Structure formats: structure tokens, C-alpha cells
């Protein structure tokens, strides 16, 4: 019954919105007649009949669909009312989108407006409808839509040098899922207080740009700038978790508005075995990371020159609005200088896979495209540490990123003197978290190794381990265990660490020879987990090795620091 009620409400809200914006009284009368026919057609369908055309589809585990259905009957009626929808929606979209385009207008343009906007004669096709059982006091509906439209859209573009260009947007192809939320349900017609709508998933968005009577290449970079503006505007204004709220009945609907729910701390540790994009030398990799792919929320790492196994150890922070549906995306590029960077590979992590308040250490395989998983080529892996904490959560571990950890006077001086102090007092919580210095003593016990690769002709090795703190380059090494591929050391080394959040522990395994040494692999570890848990034992795979594992015991003893309030 939730399915039936959801579709009925969807049709009703369509009636309300479309009729309101159609100006011609004659057109409104015809539209009412067509909509009445549509509703009557739906009413004649029994729930049992509709079940015969349900088609299953796999969705994320956090959502349960009660029904999934092909909607040929609705599409046929949508085609009949499309001329009236075009009249109403074209003016509505134009008046709402123009201010958004102006907000995202690239710097090379003086103005960006529509001189013409109609949706054309081709109606979109709804290919599926679902009702989400999310436990809320309302109805959440998702409509999957395909549209290969023939709209007439012309952008009037002016540059600062006085050049005016009419740019036509052509060949639009779109596939996506729209989410409609009807909440709260009330006993007054039309049975809900407000409606939220959002583009929950954009599967495809293709279009071409053409200058009318001119060449798009007349102004270098203008095509990419306009395309980027359009995509940014869509992503930031209507793509989930952003949503638009339309009040239907008087009331306070602030609880439906988009609100931050927590913070995702990301440490970009390293990458390995990246594809080489350069003919001479090696790639110069850097990373871009985002939760929402818009300009002011996309983070960029430093570039590591001539390296296919880069180590960044950089920390980034992202605001999270909906951990159930959002994910972190990482894209690794080869820096080509003045030319456009070339994508090496990308990966993503769903935030609903993270346990709040716990650090997750992951190696992600890089792929060519996140949507099309047909690429089997090895493009390398990227190493991340992820830590998600909802606002107001009380953690069982001490959170080194917590906003209520103040800096000492010395730390403020080291981080920029009074200016840093003033920034913190002005509410710069993110900056303050990055500036906190955590001191202490790290005890590293190198317990043993397993399945090391042989290095001599007899199929043995004489392994030892060099343990290094990256920032201070302080080193210790274990004793040599002769003729063993499964050596046991059980040696402990203590390191005084001045900046635990940003330091790294490097363990390299070597084979001892009388006249030299052979490299057998390494482990690179951040200190985030031991800072939060205080102590742990773990087995780590050796990188840059055919085989082998290291068994370690790490313990952290914080150094007492008197912090001012």
C-alpha cells in the first residue's frame, strides 16, 4: 500500500505544480482533462496487476525497496501532457537556474544568461519507480528517468573584452534517479505538508556546446569553462544530499533542510605500482579527493615528481551530510605541467562502510571509471586512513582531531604567532585541529616475519629490519637472523615523537651479506591508530616484495603537555 499511496501522491503533486505554472486558461483546462485521464488509468490498475510488471534490481544494502515497476502506462500519458509541462517547466527552470549559473560563472566571462530555453517536444521516459522503507514518518519515492531530449537552449555569453557569443546546448542525454520525499503526512488534503526533490543519482549527463555562427575555439578554454560551470551548478544545487523543499501546507519544515551530520577525516598515505604515463622518466602523481565534487570542497595533494610509489602522508577533512549515501572519491593524476593532467586511476569508499569513531585503514584498487567496471588493467593502489565521527558522538578513544583540544602557547607561536591564535578565536575549528601537535613516545616491537622471499642461491636469507621515524630520520635496526625466511626478533625500540599526527614509521627488511645487502621490502605506517587506541598488534604485508609479512606490536605513551585553556 505504501507503493500505491506514494504514486498517488506523486501524481497529485504533479497536478498542483504543473497547473500552477501553466498561464493559458485554455491550456490549463486541457491539462486538467489529461491528468484526470492519467489518474483514472492508474486507479484501474489493481496492486495485483501492477505486481506482474515489477522488475528486480540490486540496490545498496541500507535501503529496502518494496516494489520496482516498469511504467509504460505512465509514460504514454506523460507524452500527452508534455506540451503543457514544457510551457510550465521551461519558465520555472529558466528563472531558477540563471542565478545559479551566475554564481558559478567562470572568471573569463562577464555574464552568462539564457536567451532561449524550452524543453523541446520529446518527453522523458520513466523506467522504474520505488518506495523506500526508511522508517521515517513520510513517503520517499525514487523515479528512474531517461531523457534523450531535443530542447532549444541558447546561452548568451559575454566576455570582458566585449565579445558576445550565443552558445547552443545540444544533444542532451540524461539518465538519473530522482528522489521525492513527502513529509510529514497529515490528515489534510493533499495528505502531506511539504515535498523535497533531489537528483539522488546521476548515471549519465552528456551534451554538446556549439557557437551559433562561430567557432567555440575562438576563445581558448571557454568550452571547458562552460561545461564545468553547468556540471558544478547541477552538482551543488540539486544532487543529493542537496534537496529543494516546496511547502504545500503552512508549517515549519526546517527539519527537512540539508544539514551537516559529521566530519570525515582522511589521511592520504601513499600509492603503489601506479601506471607510468610518461615516455621519459616516471609519472608525477598527485591526488584529488572529494565527497561532493564541487570546486570549493575538492582537496588536492602535493605532486610527487618522478615516482610510481609516492608517499604523501597528507591530512584532509570533509563535511558529511548523509553518511548512508555519500562516498569519498580519490582520483590520482599525472601532473603534465602546463598541459591538462592525465588520469591514472580512481577509487571510492562508501561512508556507510565506516564504523563511526573507528579508524579504517584501506588499500583501494584504482580503476579507469567508477561507473563502468570493465577495466581489468592494473593501475595501482592507493592507501587511505579514514575516520568518520558524527557531531556529538562520544568516542571510547581519545580523538586527536577533536575541536576542543587547544594549542599550547608555544604551538601557537610555531604555527604563526598571534595570527594563528586570532584565527582559532574566530571559530577556525578545522584549522585548529590541523595545527594540534601530539607529542609522545612510540614503542615499536618487531616481533617476527613470515614467508620472506629468498635472496641467495640456497633459498635462504639473513634478514634484519631497519626501523625509521620519517620526520627526524631517527633509525634503529634489529639483529641479523641467519638463514631464515621466518625470523623471530622480539626487539623493542623507543622513539620520541614530536608530531604524532603527521609523522610516519618506516620498516625496511634487508638481507645481510658479507659484501653488501639486498632489499626485501618495506612497510609504511602512520601513527593515527596507535594514537587513538594506545596499543595494538598487527600483521602487515611487505610492499615492493614478492612475499612476506611483518608482525609488529605498537604502543603509544603520550608526553604530558600543559595546555592553556
Amino acid at each position: 500500500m505504501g507503493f500505491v499511496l506514494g504514486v498517488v501522491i506523486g501524481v497529485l503533486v504533479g497536478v498542483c505544480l504543473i497547473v500552477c505554472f501553466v498561464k493559458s486558461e485554455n491550456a490549463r483546462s486541457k491539462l486538467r482533462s489529461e491528468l484526470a485521464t492519467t489518474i483514472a488509468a492508474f486507479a484501474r490498475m489493481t496492486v495485483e496487476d501492477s505486481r506482474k510488471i515489477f522488475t528486480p534490481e540490486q540496490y545498496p544494502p541500507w535501503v529496502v525497496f518494496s516494489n520496482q515497476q516498469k511504467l509504460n502506462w505512465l509514460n504514454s500519458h506523460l507524452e500527452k501532457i508534455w506540451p503543457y509541462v514544457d510551457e510550465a517547466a521551461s519558465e520555472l527552470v529558466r528563472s531558477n537556474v540563471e542565478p545559479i549559473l551566475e554564481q558559478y560563472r567562470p572568471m573569463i566571462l562577464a555574464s552568462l544568461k539564457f536567451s532561449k530555453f524550452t524543453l523541446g517536444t520529446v518527453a522523458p521516459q520513466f523506467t522504474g519507480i520505488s518506495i523506500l522503507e526508511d522508517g521515517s514518518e513520510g513517503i520517499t519515492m525514487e523515479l528512474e528517468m531517461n531523457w534523450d531530449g531535443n530542447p532549444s537552449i541558447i546561452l548568451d555569453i559575454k566576455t570582458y573584452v566585449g565579445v558576445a557569443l550565443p552558445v547552443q546546448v545540444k544533444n542532451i542525454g540524461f539518465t538519473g534517479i530522482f528522489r521525492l520525499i513527502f513529509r510529514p503526512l497529515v490528515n489534510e488534503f493533499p495528505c502531506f505538508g511539504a515535498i523535497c526533490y533531489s537528483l539522488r543519482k546521476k548515471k549519465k549527463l552528456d551534451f554538446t556546446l556549439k557557437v551559433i555562427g562561430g567557432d567555440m575555439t575562438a576563445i581558448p578554454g571557454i568550452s571547458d569553462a562552460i561545461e564545468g560551470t553547468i556540471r558544478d551548478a547541477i552538482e551543488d544545487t540539486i544532487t543529493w544530499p542537496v534537496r529543494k523543499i516546496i511547502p504545500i501546507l503552512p508549517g515549519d519544515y526546517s527539519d527537512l533542510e540539508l544539514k551537516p551530520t559529521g566530519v570525515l577525516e582522511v589521511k592520504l598515505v601513499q600509492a603503489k605500482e601506479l601506471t607510468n604515463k610518461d615516455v621519459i622518466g616516471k609519472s608525477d602523481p598527485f591526488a584529488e579527493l572529494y565527497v561532493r565534487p564541487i570546486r570549493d570542497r575538492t582537496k588536492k595533494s602535493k605532486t610527487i615528481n618522478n615516482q610510481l610509489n609516492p608517499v604523501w602522508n597528507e591530512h584532509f577533512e570533509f563535511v558529511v551530510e548523509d553518511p548512508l549515501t555519500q562516498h569519498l572519491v580519490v582520483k590520482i593524476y599525472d601532473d603534465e605541467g602546463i598541459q591538462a593532467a592525465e588520469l591514472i586511476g580512481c577509487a571510492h569508499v562508501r561512508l556507510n562502510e565506516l564504523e563511526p569513531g573507528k579508524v579504517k585503514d584501506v588499500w583501494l584498487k584504482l580503476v579507469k571509471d567508477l561507473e563502468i567496471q570493465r577495466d581489468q588493467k592494473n593501475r595501482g593502489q592507493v592507501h587511505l586512513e579514514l575516520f568518520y565521527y558524527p557531531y556529538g558522538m562520544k568516542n571510547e578513544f581519545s580523538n586527536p582531531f577533536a575541536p576542543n583540544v587547544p594549542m599550547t602557547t608555544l604551538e601557537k607561536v610555531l604555527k604563526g604567532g598571534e595570527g594563528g591564535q586570532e584565527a582559532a578565536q574566530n571559530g577556525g575549528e578545522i584549522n585548529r585541529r590541523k595545527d594540534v601537535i601530539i607529542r609522545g613516545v612510540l614503542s615499536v616491537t618487531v616481533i617476527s616475519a613470515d614467508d620472506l622471499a629468498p635472496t641467495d642461491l640456497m633459498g635462504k636469507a639473513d634478514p634484519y629490519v631497519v626501523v625509521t621515524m620519517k620526520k627526524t630520520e631517527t633509525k634503529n635496526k634489529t639483529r641479523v637472523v641467519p638463514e631464515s625466511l621466518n625470523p623471530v626478533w622480539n626487539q623493542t625500540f623507543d622513539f620520541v615523537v614530536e608530531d604524532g599526527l603527521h609523522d610516519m614509521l618506516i620498516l625496511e627488511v634487508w638481507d645481510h651479506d658479507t659484501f653488501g645487502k639486498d632489499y626485501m621490502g618495506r612497510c609504511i605506517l602512520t601513527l593515527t591508530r596507535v594514537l587513538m587506541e594506545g596499543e595494538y598488534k598487527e600483521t602487515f604485508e611487505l610492499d615492493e616484495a614478492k612475499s612476506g609479512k611483518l608482525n609488529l606490536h605498537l604502543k603509544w605513551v603520550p608526553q604530558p603537555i600543559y595546555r592553556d585553556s
Side-chain angles (χ1 to χ4, degrees):
M1 290 307 294
F3 172 81
V4 176
L5 182 57
V7 176
V8 170
I9 287 180
V11 174
L12 288 174
V13 77
V15 173
C16 298
L17 295 178
I18 296 172
V19 171
C20 288
F21 285 97
V22 175
K23 298 178 180 179
S24 166
E25 181 59 39
N26 185 41
R28 289 169 65 149
S29 176
K30 292 181 179 179
L31 177 59
R32 289 192 189 95
S33 176
E34 293 290 352
L35 287 171
T37 303
T38 302
I39 296 173
F42 175 75
R44 286 193 296 270
M45 292 181 60
T46 66
V47 174
E48 197 60 38
D49 290 336
S50 66
R51 290 186 188 278
K52 297 177 183 178
I53 52 177
F54 290 161
T55 58
E57 184 177 349
Q58 185 176 359
Y59 284 85
W62 55 270
V63 65
V64 177
F65 289 102
S66 57
N67 297 299
Q68 183 74 23
Q69 172 185 19
K70 293 294 183 182
L71 295 171
N72 294 330
W73 64 274
L74 181 58
N75 290 327
S76 63
H77 288 278
L78 179 59
E79 290 177 2
K80 295 179 182 179
I81 67 173
W82 183 248
Y84 312 108
V85 176
D86 177 34
E87 178 186 346
S90 293
E91 183 59 35
L92 180 64
V93 172
R94 178 174 180 168
S95 61
N96 282 273
V97 170
E98 267 193 355
I100 297 170
L101 290 179
E102 181 64 23
Q103 177 185 348
Y104 287 91
R105 173 174 52 84
M107 296 298 294
I108 63 174
L109 301 180
S111 68
L112 181 61
K113 296 183 178 180
F114 291 113
S115 61
K116 185 176 183 180
F117 189 103
T118 63
L119 295 177
T121 59
V122 178
Q125 296 289 300
F126 292 107
T127 58
I129 183 169
S130 306
I131 300 298
L132 278 65
E133 305 293 343
D134 58 2
S136 64
E137 296 182 357
I139 293 177
T140 301
M141 176 196 304
E142 289 195 342
L143 290 164
E144 183 169 358
M145 186 186 82
N146 295 334
W147 187 40
D148 291 315
N150 62 345
S152 181
I153 302 174
I154 299 177
L155 290 167
D156 185 15
I157 296 171
K158 293 181 180 179
T159 67
Y160 286 103
V161 294
V163 178
L165 295 174
V167 176
Q168 186 176 12
V169 184
K170 300 179 60 180
N171 304 325
I172 292 181
F174 174 79
T175 302
I177 298 175
F178 282 91
R179 173 173 288 185
L180 302 175
I181 301 174
F182 307 94
R183 206 172 74 195
L185 299 181
V186 295
N187 294 324
E188 182 179 353
F189 184 83
C191 305
F192 56 91
I195 177 174
C196 295
Y197 66 90
S198 176
L199 177 60
R200 205 270 292 171
K201 185 175 182 181
K202 181 174 79 267
K203 294 185 176 180
K204 183 187 78 170
L205 174 61
D206 296 326
F207 56 87
T208 57
L209 302 173
K210 180 182 178 181
V211 174
I212 300 176
D215 186 2
M216 183 64 80
T217 61
I219 302 178
I222 193 169
S223 178
D224 290 342
I226 296 173
E227 182 173 335
T229 297
I230 293 173
R231 293 184 186 276
D232 281 350
I234 292 173
E235 195 69 44
D236 196 28
T237 58
I238 195 174
T239 303
W240 184 266
V242 179
R243 73 290 304 265
K244 300 296 182 183
I245 302 172
I246 303 175
I248 303 299
L249 300 174
D252 179 13
Y253 303 112
S254 57
D255 61 315
L256 298 178
E257 295 174 356
L258 176 66
K259 296 182 180 69
T261 60
V263 173
L264 176 68
E265 306 281 355
V266 179
K267 184 165 284 188
L268 174 66
V269 183
Q270 60 180 319
K272 65 180 180 181
E273 302 173 0
L274 297 180
T275 302
N276 191 8
K277 295 291 185 179
D278 292 351
V279 177
I280 300 175
K282 299 177 181 178
S283 297
D284 306 315
F286 70 90
E288 286 188 353
L289 305 92
Y290 59 80
V291 172
R292 287 176 56 195
I294 51 181
R295 298 176 195 177
D296 61 345
R297 290 203 183 186
T298 298
K299 311 296 184 182
K300 181 179 177 181
S301 75
K302 60 179 180 286
T303 299
I304 308 295
N305 293 323
N306 198 36
Q307 181 62 257
L308 300 181
N309 297 285
V311 177
W312 288 287
N313 195 33
E314 293 189 56
H315 172 260
F316 304 98
E317 185 173 81
F318 299 92
V319 174
V320 175
E321 289 93 358
D322 185 3
L324 295 179
T325 61
Q326 290 183 299
H327 49 262
L328 173 75
V329 173
V330 185
K331 295 185 177 181
I332 310 295
Y333 292 91
D334 176 26
D335 191 343
E336 298 288 351
I338 60 174
Q339 298 180 355
E342 187 174 0
L343 179 67
I344 295 175
C346 53
H348 72 219
V349 179
R350 298 184 184 278
L351 301 191
N352 66 346
E353 297 174 357
L354 306 181
E355 183 179 353
K358 298 289 183 68
V359 173
K360 183 168 185 175
D361 188 291
V362 293
W363 280 95
L364 302 176
K365 181 182 177 182
L366 297 175
V367 297
K368 183 179 180 180
D369 190 288
L370 295 176
E371 297 293 336
I372 304 173
Q373 302 291 346
R374 299 174 185 168
D375 182 25
Q376 299 299 319
K377 181 179 178 181
N378 180 27
R379 299 174 180 274
Q381 299 179 65
V382 61
H383 182 195
L384 303 174
E385 282 184 352
L386 307 169
F387 177 62
Y388 170 67
Y389 60 94
Y391 291 138
M393 176 182 180
K394 292 185 178 180
N395 211 352
E396 62 180 291
F397 299 124
S398 175
N399 176 13
F401 301 105
N404 59 353
V405 179
M407 290 187 290
T408 65
T409 303
L410 175 60
E411 289 169 347
K412 292 174 183 175
V413 172
L414 292 175
K415 293 295 181 180
E418 295 300 322
Q421 183 176 0
E422 182 180 350
Q425 291 174 347
N426 288 338
E429 290 187 0
I430 291 178
N431 290 332
R432 186 165 69 238
R433 278 199 287 273
K434 290 182 179 179
D435 288 343
V436 169
I437 297 174
I438 296 187
R439 299 181 177 91
V441 176
L442 176 68
S443 294
V444 181
T445 301
V446 183
I447 302 172
S448 61
D450 301 319
D451 301 321
L452 296 179
T455 58
D456 59 29
L457 296 177
M458 302 299 293
K460 295 289 185 179
D462 305 315
Y464 66 96
V465 180
V466 177
V467 187
T468 306
M469 294 306 303
K470 188 173 187 296
K471 279 201 167 187
T472 60
E473 297 184 353
T474 306
K475 295 185 178 182
N476 283 290
K477 67 178 182 179
T478 68
R479 64 180 177 274
V480 176
V481 178
E483 298 185 353
S484 176
L485 300 181
N486 298 281
V488 176
W489 293 285
N490 274 325
Q491 288 185 259
T492 300
F493 307 99
D494 291 336
F495 297 91
V496 176
V497 180
E498 292 294 330
D499 187 2
L501 282 181
H502 305 101
D503 211 340
M504 302 186 81
L505 177 67
I506 302 173
L507 301 103
E508 296 176 313
V509 182
W510 296 86
D511 172 40
H512 175 74
D513 284 330
T514 304
F515 301 103
K517 57 183 180 179
D518 295 319
Y519 179 67
M520 301 181 69
R522 70 176 183 180
C523 292
I524 298 179
L525 308 176
T526 68
L527 308 187
T528 310
R529 180 178 172 186
V530 73
L531 289 178
M532 297 186 65
E533 298 185 19
E535 184 177 6
Y536 71 91
K537 289 183 179 180
E538 190 66 84
T539 299
F540 298 95
E541 299 275 352
L542 286 177
D543 293 330
E544 302 175 356
K546 293 181 180 179
S547 65
K549 301 176 182 179
L550 269 183
N551 300 303
L552 304 175
H553 178 197
L554 274 63
K555 184 176 181 180
W556 175 260
V557 179
Q559 176 184 343
I561 299 175
Y562 293 101
R563 294 187 176 276
D564 52 5
S565 56

